Amino acid sequence: MPQSASDPPAAPGIAHAVAPSLHDRGNLHTVATQQLDKAARAMNLDTSVRAILSQPKNELIINFPVRMDSGEQRMFKGYRVQHNNILGPYKGGIRYHEESNLDEMKALAAWMTYKCALYDIPFGGGKGGVKFNPREHSKPELERITRRFTHALGSNIGPEWDIPAPDVGTNSQTMVWMMDTYMNIVGMAEKNSVRRIVTGKSVTAGGSHGREAATGQGVVHCITEWAQDKRFRLDGCSFIVQGFGNVGSNTARILSKLGATLVATGDYKGYIANPEGINPHKLTEHVGKTGSVMGYKHGRAIAREDFFGLECDIFIPAALELEIGLPEAKALRCKLVVEGANGPTFPEAEEVLLSRGIDVLPDILANAGGVIVSYYEWLQNKRSERWDLEEVETRLERRMKRTFAQVRELTIEKKLDWRTASYEVALDRIQKAYLERGIFP
Ligand code: GLU
């Protein structure tokens, strides 16, 4: 993928941790802007609010050195984009991926703003990461990269200012390293009060019960609500998940408990299918051992083109962004697309899906379970509380159903698609805050 226009090239002579691109994903910030414009038109969004939201408040790029196991020193490029904080501290994941770039971070940060606003969580939006392939590094190298990046971010993050979390290529271990590094930067007496500097930590380190599966659980809450509305039976239906990481695997496991059958899946290595059904629990074990769904003995390897043309009831993109373009949108044979990933659908592909009568539950509505439970984790840390799994799950379900109902009403009342209606709920909250507070000075 070409570097984005706003992404400065690497300094000559410095080896950046960049792998060759496999898939041109287009410019994500352009996609986010198109979505914002569509919703702004539908609701007559104030033009000054529209202008503020079209660019992030802060864009930070850091180049930092890390010592590799071989003794060699290597330069890495890190990002943190802070999109908006009118409703609360910046909040959003840290991504480790070789194709990461500034425009991607800008789009992902904006979607965090809208996701939090949609669910009335008192957070704004941010996103960050490091441009490298974590699969190519040992655990000690990953630890040094994470700690050095956190140190370089320094006071640009903070427990009441900007709170990172896991995303693609990072996990609870990454968050524990970040937390520990940050705790060691502040004074001794403050250490424990800054535990909430990151969310998505392990339970041992002060994370929340239910955070690990929260995004997948939230995807399933949305599917359940949609099914109830359409009088569609989930028991006996079929689904496909693209991507079998945290979101894909948890979604598949939880959805299969409701009687739905996983008929195909895939990851960065390839795609597999089995019309008789794939057991997501066994597949998770296989992925745990081998690192990929490929080679799973109860699935037949298929090509990417065939994968998108398979018949199913529900298609769940839970891999990377911009996977559903025009050819995929024309090929899909399903009733519903649910965005487990952030930004998996090109706007023109979404138009095709909608014209074919396929509903699209957008990322900011469908995959918010993660940040919702992140908020619960942050609150528990702040109050020195520990909630049990049942309490977390009950609160998550209630919040997701309430917002889903609000969006559904808008889709009916104003004849909007699900994405535009979700944006409208979110933008309305942000707009009210700006109009009431005004612009300083
Ligand atoms: N990375 C996740 C997302 O895109 C979670 C962010 C968080 O928990 O702050 O929603």
Side-chain angles (χ1 to χ4, degrees):
M1 179 183 192
Q3 293 225 319
S4 72
S6 48
D7 214 356
I14 293 178
H16 271 283
V18 183
S21 164
L22 299 171
H23 184 76
D24 189 350
R25 290 179 205 285
N27 187 301
L28 208 59
H29 188 242
T30 308
V31 172
T33 306
Q34 278 173 277
Q35 293 176 355
L36 172 65
D37 283 343
K38 184 176 174 188
R41 275 194 303 274
M43 67 182 286
N44 247 329
L45 184 72
D46 184 86
T47 49
S48 61
V49 175
R50 158 82 189 74
I52 290 170
L53 295 174
S54 66
Q55 290 293 332
K57 279 204 170 176
N58 304 313
E59 305 169 24
L60 179 68
I61 299 181
I62 313 164
N63 294 293
F64 57 98
V66 179
R67 194 172 19 83
M68 298 291 99
D69 293 342
S70 64
E72 168 218 10
Q73 172 190 307
R74 195 157 159 191
M75 290 302 292
F76 288 84
K77 189 180 283 293
Y79 305 87
R80 187 69 184 171
V81 170
Q82 297 169 332
H83 177 259
N84 191 276
N85 64 347
I86 185 92
L87 298 177
Y90 301 110
K91 182 82 190 85
I94 295 288
R95 173 174 291 204
Y96 288 172
H97 196 274
E98 65 271 28
E99 288 181 19
S100 283
N101 60 75
L102 186 61
D103 277 351
E104 176 199 42
M105 296 292 164
K106 284 168 66 171
L108 293 167
W111 285 325
M112 288 309 302
T113 300
Y114 307 138
K115 206 184 291 187
C116 292
L118 169 60
Y119 278 93
D120 205 10
I121 290 173
F123 283 147
K127 203 76 160 205
V130 183
K131 188 181 183 77
F132 79 111
N133 181 354
R135 294 179 212 276
E136 289 172 356
H137 293 270
S138 68
K139 196 171 173 189
E141 284 183 352
L142 290 174
E143 177 170 355
R144 288 197 294 277
I145 295 165
T146 302
R147 286 186 183 276
R148 182 65 199 236
F149 176 51
T150 309
H151 190 268
L153 285 172
S155 56
N156 290 293
I157 56 171
E160 298 286 340
W161 170 245
D162 184 356
I163 306 129
D167 196 76
V168 173
T170 58
N171 55 28
S172 59
Q173 175 65 79
T174 323
M175 293 306 115
V176 175
W177 288 327
M178 287 191 81
M179 178 196 77
D180 187 73
T181 307
Y182 193 85
M183 278 178 146
N184 280 292
I185 297 173
V186 299
M188 225 167 21
E190 267 183 79
K191 263 192 178 180
N192 270 301
S193 66
V194 299
R195 195 176 285 272
R196 64 186 193 286
I197 178 64
V198 286
T199 59
K201 304 179 286 286
S202 69
V203 173
T204 321
S208 178
H209 290 291
R211 175 63 183 84
E212 191 78 27
T215 311
Q217 180 64 71
V219 168
V220 176
H221 283 317
C222 283
I223 293 174
T224 313
E225 291 305 283
W226 175 88
Q228 210 172 13
D229 193 38
K230 301 275 171 196
R231 298 185 204 293
F232 175 81
R233 268 183 74 103
L234 290 176
D235 188 10
C237 84
S238 60
F239 69 100
I240 292 177
V241 177
Q242 188 205 19
F244 210 75
N246 174 285
V247 182
S249 65
N250 280 301
T251 300
R253 284 203 299 266
I254 299 166
L255 202 51
S256 72
K257 279 193 208 143
L258 303 179
T261 304
L262 175 68
V263 292
T265 184
D267 59 24
Y268 74 108
K269 276 199 168 165
Y271 295 93
I272 57 167
N274 184 348
E276 302 299 314
I278 296 169
N279 181 325
H281 299 274
K282 290 199 175 129
L283 183 60
T284 303
E285 273 172 35
H286 173 84
V287 173
K289 279 187 213 137
T290 67
S292 167
V293 300
M294 295 315 284
Y296 181 62
K297 65 174 188 279
H298 303 294
R300 182 175 54 88
I302 52 165
R304 187 178 187 278
E305 306 82 75
D306 299 330
F307 174 78
F308 282 94
L310 290 174
E311 196 167 345
C312 68
D313 295 306
I314 305 168
F315 185 89
I316 304 157
L320 285 170
E321 58 259 25
L322 302 183
E323 285 286 343
I324 305 179
L326 280 179
E328 291 81 12
K330 285 177 191 156
L332 279 173
R333 288 195 288 157
C334 60
K335 299 180 177 69
L336 173 69
V337 171
V338 189
E339 295 183 340
N342 288 311
T345 316
F346 279 93
E348 55 273 28
E350 183 168 10
E351 295 305 327
V352 170
L353 292 171
L354 296 176
S355 72
R356 293 182 53 211
I358 300 172
D359 276 346
V360 180
L361 299 183
D363 42 16
I364 58 171
L365 180 68
N367 73 27
V371 73
I372 293 172
V373 178
S374 273
Y375 169 52
Y376 297 157
E377 177 176 336
W378 185 84
L379 267 186
Q380 289 172 72
N381 290 164
K382 189 165 166 150
R383 301 172 176 173
S384 293
E385 286 179 2
R386 180 76 101 184
W387 303 351
D388 59 26
L389 180 60
E390 201 191 333
E391 173 154 13
V392 172
E393 285 185 337
T394 310
R395 284 180 188 246
L396 173 65
E397 184 173 356
R398 209 188 310 137
R399 194 179 280 259
M400 293 214 62
K401 288 189 170 171
R402 191 171 57 213
T403 297
F404 193 95
Q406 202 181 346
V407 174
R408 179 176 44 210
E409 248 173 59
L410 212 52
T411 63
I412 298 164
E413 190 189 310
K414 291 185 73 178
K415 292 194 174 34
L416 296 174
D417 59 80
W418 290 89
R419 189 183 316 275
T420 309
S422 300
Y423 263 78
E424 179 158 341
V425 174
L427 292 172
D428 188 52
R429 285 206 174 99
I430 296 168
Q431 166 164 264
K432 279 198 179 113
Y434 271 112
L435 296 183
E436 191 178 275
R437 282 168 59 168
I439 310 288
F440 177 85

